PDB file of all heavy atoms in Angstrom:
ATOM      1  N   ASN X 212     -30.445  22.157   6.968  1.00 54.00           N
ATOM      2  CA  ASN X 212     -30.812  23.300   7.803  1.00 54.00           C
ATOM      3  C   ASN X 212     -29.816  23.490   8.952  1.00 54.00           C
ATOM      4  O   ASN X 212     -28.830  22.755   9.062  1.00 54.00           O
ATOM      5  CB  ASN X 212     -32.258  23.175   8.313  1.00 54.00           C
ATOM      6  CG  ASN X 212     -32.419  22.075   9.345  1.00 54.00           C
ATOM      7  OD1 ASN X 212     -31.447  21.515   9.845  1.00 54.00           O
ATOM      8  ND2 ASN X 212     -33.662  21.763   9.662  1.00 54.00           N
ATOM      9  N   VAL X 213     -30.124  24.465   9.813  1.00 55.00           N
ATOM     10  CA  VAL X 213     -29.162  24.789  10.873  1.00 55.00           C
ATOM     11  C   VAL X 213     -28.952  23.636  11.862  1.00 55.00           C
ATOM     12  O   VAL X 213     -27.929  23.551  12.517  1.00 55.00           O
ATOM     13  CB  VAL X 213     -29.566  26.070  11.651  1.00 55.00           C
ATOM     14  CG1 VAL X 213     -29.262  27.308  10.840  1.00 55.00           C
ATOM     15  CG2 VAL X 213     -31.014  26.014  12.073  1.00 55.00           C
ATOM     16  N   GLN X 214     -29.944  22.772  11.972  1.00 53.00           N
ATOM     17  CA  GLN X 214     -29.768  21.595  12.848  1.00 53.00           C
ATOM     18  C   GLN X 214     -29.064  20.454  12.103  1.00 53.00           C
ATOM     19  O   GLN X 214     -29.062  19.312  12.570  1.00 53.00           O
ATOM     20  CB  GLN X 214     -31.129  21.072  13.343  1.00 53.00           C
ATOM     21  CG  GLN X 214     -31.719  21.852  14.494  1.00 53.00           C
ATOM     22  CD  GLN X 214     -32.627  22.947  13.997  1.00 53.00           C
ATOM     23  OE1 GLN X 214     -33.314  22.775  12.994  1.00 53.00           O
ATOM     24  NE2 GLN X 214     -32.626  24.084  14.674  1.00 53.00           N
ATOM     25  N   GLU X 215     -28.566  20.793  10.917  1.00 57.00           N
ATOM     26  CA  GLU X 215     -27.902  19.813  10.057  1.00 57.00           C
ATOM     27  C   GLU X 215     -28.826  18.690   9.626  1.00 57.00           C
ATOM     28  O   GLU X 215     -28.423  17.542   9.446  1.00 57.00           O
ATOM     29  CB  GLU X 215     -26.632  19.251  10.727  1.00 57.00           C
ATOM     30  CG  GLU X 215     -25.671  20.357  11.098  1.00 57.00           C
ATOM     31  CD  GLU X 215     -24.231  19.916  11.126  1.00 57.00           C
ATOM     32  OE1 GLU X 215     -24.003  18.752  11.438  1.00 57.00           O
ATOM     33  OE2 GLU X 215     -23.373  20.747  10.825  1.00 57.00           O
ATOM     34  N   GLU X 216     -30.129  19.037   9.476  1.00 56.00           N
ATOM     35  CA  GLU X 216     -31.081  18.057   8.947  1.00 56.00           C
ATOM     36  C   GLU X 216     -31.419  18.471   7.523  1.00 56.00           C
ATOM     37  O   GLU X 216     -31.394  19.659   7.197  1.00 56.00           O
ATOM     38  CB  GLU X 216     -32.402  18.088   9.744  1.00 56.00           C
ATOM     39  CG  GLU X 216     -32.271  17.699  11.188  1.00 56.00           C
ATOM     40  CD  GLU X 216     -33.416  18.253  12.023  1.00 56.00           C
ATOM     41  OE1 GLU X 216     -34.035  19.249  11.636  1.00 56.00           O
ATOM     42  OE2 GLU X 216     -33.655  17.678  13.081  1.00 56.00           O
ATOM     43  N   GLN X 217     -31.772  17.470   6.743  1.00 56.00           N
ATOM     44  CA  GLN X 217     -32.215  17.753   5.374  1.00 56.00           C
ATOM     45  C   GLN X 217     -33.590  18.419   5.448  1.00 56.00           C
ATOM     46  O   GLN X 217     -34.495  17.903   6.107  1.00 56.00           O
ATOM     47  CB  GLN X 217     -32.318  16.426   4.616  1.00 56.00           C
ATOM     48  CG  GLN X 217     -32.861  16.527   3.221  1.00 56.00           C
ATOM     49  CD  GLN X 217     -31.764  16.738   2.186  1.00 56.00           C
ATOM     50  OE1 GLN X 217     -30.591  16.559   2.469  1.00 56.00           O
ATOM     51  NE2 GLN X 217     -32.157  17.133   1.008  1.00 56.00           N
ATOM     52  N   VAL X 218     -33.774  19.580   4.819  1.00 57.00           N
ATOM     53  CA  VAL X 218     -35.091  20.228   4.809  1.00 57.00           C
ATOM     54  C   VAL X 218     -35.893  19.634   3.657  1.00 57.00           C
ATOM     55  O   VAL X 218     -35.496  19.717   2.500  1.00 57.00           O
ATOM     56  CB  VAL X 218     -34.963  21.764   4.640  1.00 57.00           C
ATOM     57  CG1 VAL X 218     -36.340  22.418   4.668  1.00 57.00           C
ATOM     58  CG2 VAL X 218     -34.083  22.331   5.739  1.00 57.00           C
ATOM     59  N   GLN X 219     -37.030  19.027   4.033  1.00 63.00           N
ATOM     60  CA  GLN X 219     -37.808  18.309   3.019  1.00 63.00           C
ATOM     61  C   GLN X 219     -38.643  19.241   2.169  1.00 63.00           C
ATOM     62  O   GLN X 219     -39.071  20.299   2.637  1.00 63.00           O
ATOM     63  CB  GLN X 219     -38.791  17.395   3.742  1.00 63.00           C
ATOM     64  CG  GLN X 219     -38.315  16.013   3.887  1.00 63.00           C
ATOM     65  CD  GLN X 219     -39.401  15.194   4.519  1.00 63.00           C
ATOM     66  OE1 GLN X 219     -40.158  15.662   5.365  1.00 63.00           O
ATOM     67  NE2 GLN X 219     -39.500  13.974   4.100  1.00 63.00           N
ATOM     68  N   LYS X 220     -38.924  18.813   0.960  1.00 84.00           N
ATOM     69  CA  LYS X 220     -39.879  19.551   0.149  1.00 84.00           C
ATOM     70  C   LYS X 220     -41.245  19.395   0.794  1.00 84.00           C
ATOM     71  O   LYS X 220     -41.589  18.320   1.278  1.00 84.00           O
ATOM     72  CB  LYS X 220     -39.922  18.980  -1.257  1.00 84.00           C
ATOM     73  CG  LYS X 220     -38.707  19.360  -2.066  1.00 84.00           C
ATOM     74  CD  LYS X 220     -38.929  19.025  -3.507  1.00 84.00           C
ATOM     75  CE  LYS X 220     -38.043  19.924  -4.340  1.00 84.00           C
ATOM     76  NZ  LYS X 220     -38.482  20.096  -5.683  1.00 84.00           N
ATOM     77  N   LEU X 221     -42.033  20.476   0.773  1.00 87.00           N
ATOM     78  CA  LEU X 221     -43.312  20.434   1.494  1.00 87.00           C
ATOM     79  C   LEU X 221     -44.299  19.401   0.946  1.00 87.00           C
ATOM     80  O   LEU X 221     -45.045  18.795   1.704  1.00 87.00           O
ATOM     81  CB  LEU X 221     -43.968  21.812   1.439  1.00 87.00           C
ATOM     82  CG  LEU X 221     -43.816  22.698   2.666  1.00 87.00           C
ATOM     83  CD1 LEU X 221     -44.659  23.945   2.510  1.00 87.00           C
ATOM     84  CD2 LEU X 221     -44.244  21.966   3.942  1.00 87.00           C
ATOM     85  N   ASP X 222     -44.280  19.216  -0.381  1.00 88.00           N
ATOM     86  CA  ASP X 222     -45.248  18.247  -0.911  1.00 88.00           C
ATOM     87  C   ASP X 222     -44.877  16.818  -0.507  1.00 88.00           C
ATOM     88  O   ASP X 222     -45.742  15.988  -0.222  1.00 88.00           O
ATOM     89  CB  ASP X 222     -45.463  18.379  -2.430  1.00 88.00           C
ATOM     90  CG  ASP X 222     -44.192  18.637  -3.202  1.00 88.00           C
ATOM     91  OD1 ASP X 222     -43.107  18.623  -2.575  1.00 88.00           O
ATOM     92  OD2 ASP X 222     -44.269  18.827  -4.430  1.00 88.00           O
ATOM     93  N   VAL X 223     -43.574  16.565  -0.434  1.00 89.00           N
ATOM     94  CA  VAL X 223     -43.119  15.237   0.005  1.00 89.00           C
ATOM     95  C   VAL X 223     -43.449  15.056   1.490  1.00 89.00           C
ATOM     96  O   VAL X 223     -43.943  14.013   1.924  1.00 89.00           O
ATOM     97  CB  VAL X 223     -41.586  15.096  -0.226  1.00 89.00           C
ATOM     98  CG1 VAL X 223     -41.074  13.765   0.292  1.00 89.00           C
ATOM     99  CG2 VAL X 223     -41.263  15.270  -1.698  1.00 89.00           C
ATOM    100  N   PHE X 224     -43.232  16.122   2.260  1.00 90.00           N
ATOM    101  CA  PHE X 224     -43.543  16.090   3.688  1.00 90.00           C
ATOM    102  C   PHE X 224     -45.042  15.821   3.904  1.00 90.00           C
ATOM    103  O   PHE X 224     -45.429  14.952   4.698  1.00 90.00           O
ATOM    104  CB  PHE X 224     -43.149  17.432   4.321  1.00 90.00           C
ATOM    105  CG  PHE X 224     -43.615  17.587   5.736  1.00 90.00           C
ATOM    106  CD1 PHE X 224     -42.860  17.069   6.788  1.00 90.00           C
ATOM    107  CD2 PHE X 224     -44.810  18.230   6.029  1.00 90.00           C
ATOM    108  CE1 PHE X 224     -43.297  17.200   8.093  1.00 90.00           C
ATOM    109  CE2 PHE X 224     -45.260  18.363   7.339  1.00 90.00           C
ATOM    110  CZ  PHE X 224     -44.500  17.845   8.367  1.00 90.00           C
ATOM    111  N   ALA X 225     -45.885  16.551   3.172  1.00 94.00           N
ATOM    112  CA  ALA X 225     -47.337  16.402   3.336  1.00 94.00           C
ATOM    113  C   ALA X 225     -47.764  14.968   3.009  1.00 94.00           C
ATOM    114  O   ALA X 225     -48.593  14.374   3.709  1.00 94.00           O
ATOM    115  CB  ALA X 225     -48.069  17.397   2.439  1.00 94.00           C
ATOM    116  N   ASN X 226     -47.175  14.427   1.963  1.00 95.00           N
ATOM    117  CA  ASN X 226     -47.501  13.062   1.560  1.00 95.00           C
ATOM    118  C   ASN X 226     -47.152  12.074   2.681  1.00 95.00           C
ATOM    119  O   ASN X 226     -47.964  11.221   3.052  1.00 95.00           O
ATOM    120  CB  ASN X 226     -46.717  12.730   0.288  1.00 95.00           C
ATOM    121  CG  ASN X 226     -47.195  11.467  -0.379  1.00 95.00           C
ATOM    122  OD1 ASN X 226     -48.395  11.237  -0.486  1.00 95.00           O
ATOM    123  ND2 ASN X 226     -46.272  10.644  -0.814  1.00 95.00           N
TER     124      ASN X 226
END
Side-chain angles (χ1 to χ4, degrees):
N212 70 11
V213 284
Q214 280 92 35
E215 303 208 329
E216 297 158 336
Q217 176 90 14
V218 181
Q219 264 184 325
K220 286 192 155 203
L221 260 187
D222 40 5
V223 177
F224 171 84
N226 192 43

